[in-house]
Amino acid sequence: MTAIWHPFTQHALMPEQVFIDHAEGAYLYTKDGKRIIDGISSWWVNIHGHNHPKIAAAVQKQSTKLDQLIFAGFTHEPAEKLAAKLVEVTPPNITKVFYSDSGSTSVEVALKMALGYWAHKGKPRRGVVALEHAYHGDTFGTMSVGGRSVFNAPYEAFLFDVHRLPYPHPKREHETVEAFEKLLKEQGDDIAALIVEPLVLGAAGMMMYSAATLRALYDLCRRYGVIFIADEVMTGWGRTGTRWACEQAGVEPDIICSSKGLTSGFLPLAVTLASEEIYQAFYSTDRAKTFFHSSSFTGNPIACAAALAAVELWDEEPVLERIQTIHKQQAAMLPRLQARGDLENVRHLGTIVACDVRTSEQGYLSAVGPRLYRYFIENGVLLRPIGQTVYMLPPYCVTREDLDVIFSTLERALDALRDGELEQAA
Ligand SMILES: Cc1ncc(COP(=O)(O)O)c(C=O)c1O
């Protein structure tokens, strides 16, 4: 019996956790030597695969030089170099990098920057706008902007209200834009910011929408002077086919949140990237306008060194070409899923493939998810369905053979589900 309380885990139904001993590239290895293909990059994080030698070397080197440093009044080389590099690879309006340590904290920081901006401008605005079904993290601020769901039901009374736009449902995407425009016409003077997961609502079940809609929402923000926050925690670092999902819509956000792939999974690190305009609202000889946000590990040198190595890999290795190759290989395999009567909404963007199992048991608590999950793990593939949605989101070092194994394992799992062979699983 373990002393660990695992995240997003109902221990009464899942008493055993898979014990991983080590990992390499796209593979996890259990203590007894079983190999598992990491089909979801360990929760969307290890983009370059596990234990990339360049990042490992950078971590090792930095850990003997400077481990941790108070980040108020002090700075250090890995943080400086990383910040300069991030400014280089983001739209020209982005000039400042604020460090924190998880996707959730990067969003908290973004919200505080946006609301603080208006307060310091002397024209406070209170309204935050978010998409239905959004997921931005599990802290109270991020739960507040996230869609209301089983994830946050016990805490609902404690969450602050936001304006909610309908998810841009295919064929009805214009309704989202119209709803936003109506809101801005009525209350534009009080709307501080719009926060979106660009192109894909990840935790909602890889729900995708078009670049045109993203662009239309952005244009409305520009027209009404509303801060546009792009939560690229999942979509960033190439996942949707471009380094940033926003690139596909020609959008230059005022604030970008990034984490997960930033260090390619080596260490926890996040950044909130801000435009000069946002920064200038806090820049003052008045100490009361200081951005009062920190955590002990802000700008941790080893984490920054890992991120710098991971970001530099983009210049040293053909990362975008790899992403395009994976996309093509997945596209060639996609008809295998599209032909199945037990699947619907087969979708594909960048290296993300997702589909929904046709079932009467819809939603996150659908039994279909745990049943398939258990089959996948027993058959050497890590895929972790979200309710009835199955998706793959592999590291960029995945091979065509690995992808074939992932697809065929999914097909066999669906056959077993159809034939009632997975009923025993919770
Ligand atoms: C879009 C988005 N934002 C924020 C988060 C929260 O990130 P973290 O789990 O690192 O706090 C996630 C996590 O999945 C995410 O997908």
Side-chain angles (χ1 to χ4, degrees), residues 190-361:
D190 191 42
I191 303 298
L194 168 73
I195 179 163
V196 292
E197 292 162 87
L199 302 185
V200 193
L201 278 67
M206 299 299 152
M207 295 167 77
M208 299 175 184
Y209 63 95
S210 72
T213 293
L214 181 62
R215 177 71 205 205
L217 295 174
Y218 171 74
D219 287 343
L220 282 169
C221 283
R222 283 285 165 272
R223 187 158 5 126
Y224 285 85
V226 169
I227 294 172
F228 184 95
I229 305 173
D231 177 353
E232 294 250 18
V233 167
M234 188 280 279
T235 53
W237 303 111
R239 190 49 79 185
T240 67
T242 42
R243 191 189 304 248
W244 305 107
C246 282
E247 279 172 46
Q248 296 178 40
V251 161
E252 297 191 354
D254 301 295
I255 301 178
I256 304 174
C257 305
S258 173
S259 186
K260 293 196 184 275
L262 177 62
T263 64
S264 191
F266 262 78
L267 285 160
L269 186 73
V271 286
T272 308
L273 303 149
S275 70
E276 187 62 25
E277 160 110 24
I278 302 280
Y279 177 74
Q280 284 300 329
F282 293 81
Y283 189 80
S284 166
T285 50
D286 178 359
R287 291 177 64 202
K289 287 192 174 178
T290 304
F291 186 50
F292 289 111
H293 190 98
S294 176
S295 69
S296 311
F297 294 102
T298 300
N300 173 268
I302 308 175
C304 288
L308 184 61
V311 176
E312 282 174 354
L313 272 178
W314 284 72
D315 300 327
E316 296 158 14
E317 297 186 0
V319 179
L320 271 178
E321 286 84 337
R322 264 181 214 150
I323 290 167
Q324 283 156 7
T325 303
I326 294 169
H327 180 84
K328 279 192 205 133
Q329 291 166 342
Q330 289 171 325
M333 297 179 195
L334 222 53
R336 289 157 58 176
L337 304 184
Q338 283 159 336
R340 295 188 68 102
D342 51 1
L343 290 181
E344 58 189 345
N345 302 328
V346 179
R347 48 203 185 273
H348 189 201
L349 180 70
T351 58
I352 307 171
V353 169
C355 52
D356 303 328
V357 178
R358 279 186 208 275
T359 170
S360 53
E361 299 176 63

Side-chain angles (χ1 to χ4, degrees), residues 4-80:
I4 299 172
W5 189 345
H6 285 264
F8 272 61
T9 301
Q10 179 44 271
H11 284 267
L13 295 171
M14 267 187 77
E16 298 294 326
Q17 312 299 316
V18 183
F19 207 123
I20 296 299
D21 180 70
H22 63 282
E24 193 185 350
Y27 311 122
L28 307 170
Y29 294 91
T30 63
K31 274 186 112 171
D32 48 10
K34 187 177 156 192
R35 195 183 82 167
I36 298 175
I37 301 177
D38 189 347
I40 58 165
S41 306
S42 279
W43 252 345
W44 323 344
V45 169
N46 290 76
I47 54 169
H48 299 303
H50 292 270
N51 299 358
H52 192 290
K54 178 180 160 111
I55 311 175
V59 166
Q60 205 170 16
K61 193 166 164 212
Q62 185 58 40
S63 64
T64 57
K65 195 172 176 200
L66 177 64
D67 54 349
Q68 162 68 8
L69 179 71
I70 177 173
F71 209 55
F74 290 82
T75 192
H76 54 80
E77 188 171 281
E80 290 293 342

